[in-house]
Amino acid sequence: MNRSRSTLDLLPAIGGRYSPRAFSDRDVTDAELALVLEAARWAPSSMNEQPWRFLVTRRGAEGHAALLDGLNPSNRLWADKAPVLMLALVHRILHKLGAENHHARHDLGLAVGQLGVQATALGLGMHQLGGFSPDKVRAAFAIPDVYDLVTVLVLGWPGDADGLPEHLRERERTRSLRKPLSELVHYGRFTP
Ligand SMILES: Cc1cc2nc3c(=O)[nH]c(=O)nc-3n(C[C@H](O)[C@H](O)[C@H](O)COP(=O)(O)O)c2cc1C
């Protein structure tokens, strides 16, 4: 699972990360869950606001069915096998200034990035989802308007692609590609 897709010498937890859809039956322990959340906690944020929040649900326990129900059907199809679903939210107000925090989603992304790296280092898989209904989930959990519902994180131990619906099996065995650095990085001047 941890084969890097880069030709450069990346940290294994960065190069080996991918977004699984196949999950095994193995549960995520409280200690493993605490560790990945702790990795998110130590992310940097604008003015150290730490705007991220995580609503954690475990399969068969409080909140899980409601969060699962908020996913787009194409995501629900496989995400229901994973032992943990988490809603990732941000508080929109920068408390030190009493103003809109324009970096809140940026900061959440950093925290989730760290969570994903820590998860990969443990051998866990984490799949982020934008394909859910924020309105439905907000209503189900009575989440106030000052929070933005950004993604749902699917966490668990990667499983066998054969357990997936047929149209997803080949996709699970294929790793995504990336644009070359030359397309993404500009030195000295910007050329759109
Ligand atoms: C903000 C965000 C939203 C995403 N939403 C979905 C989604 O709704 N369904 C899905 O299957 N994958 C989703 N993904 C996963 C991406 O498709 C995936 O990260 C991308 O194709 C790169 O593949 P990799 O993560 O395996 O390297 C999302 C990823 C991010 C970061």
Side-chain angles (χ1 to χ4, degrees):
M1 170 212 165
N2 273 348
R3 57 203 153 93
S4 179
R5 288 169 282 168
S6 175
T7 54
L8 299 184
D9 193 19
L10 286 177
L11 294 174
I14 294 176
R17 187 213 56 79
Y18 73 103
S19 300
R21 289 186 177 82
F23 291 94
S24 81
D25 288 340
R26 182 174 167 189
D27 208 357
V28 175
T29 66
D30 288 344
E32 288 154 354
L33 190 54
L35 191 53
V36 299
L37 291 166
E38 183 72 0
R41 177 181 170 230
W42 284 100
S45 60
S46 177
M47 299 185 79
N48 201 20
E49 176 70 28
Q50 302 157 67
W52 46 73
R53 303 288 184 274
F54 299 97
L55 193 168
V56 180
T57 72
R58 284 181 174 282
R59 199 170 44 179
E62 186 180 6
H64 186 268
L67 189 49
L68 190 63
D69 193 46
L71 300 187
N72 291 358
S74 59
N75 287 326
R76 201 185 305 136
L77 195 64
W78 52 267
D80 62 346
K81 309 284 182 311
V84 178
L85 289 181
M86 294 186 254
L87 175 67
L89 334 73
V90 288
H91 195 289
R92 275 207 314 276
I93 301 302
L94 194 53
H95 286 91
K96 284 173 188 122
L97 302 180
E100 183 90 13
N101 183 355
H102 297 293
H103 294 105
R105 283 169 178 257
H106 172 278
D107 295 346
L108 173 68
L110 287 174
V112 172
Q114 293 198 177
L115 188 157
V117 168
Q118 184 69 59
T120 307
L122 292 175
L124 283 162
M126 192 272 282
H127 196 137
Q128 304 169 62
L129 301 180
F132 75 103
S133 165
D135 290 345
K136 202 168 174 182
V137 173
R138 187 187 293 285
F141 291 96
I143 297 171
D145 280 348
V146 74
Y147 293 93
D148 274 351
L149 284 58
V150 184
T151 46
V152 172
L153 313 180
V154 184
L155 183 74
W157 298 96
D160 193 344
D162 289 339
L164 286 171
E166 200 175 340
H167 71 283
L168 292 176
R169 283 180 209 156
E170 196 45 43
R171 203 162 157 195
E172 187 71 2
R173 297 189 181 102
T174 312
R175 294 290 170 264
S176 62
L177 301 172
R178 290 296 184 271
K179 295 170 183 168
L181 276 184
S182 57
E183 207 179 303
L184 307 173
V185 182
H186 302 256
Y187 291 97
R189 66 177 64 180
F190 191 77
T191 43

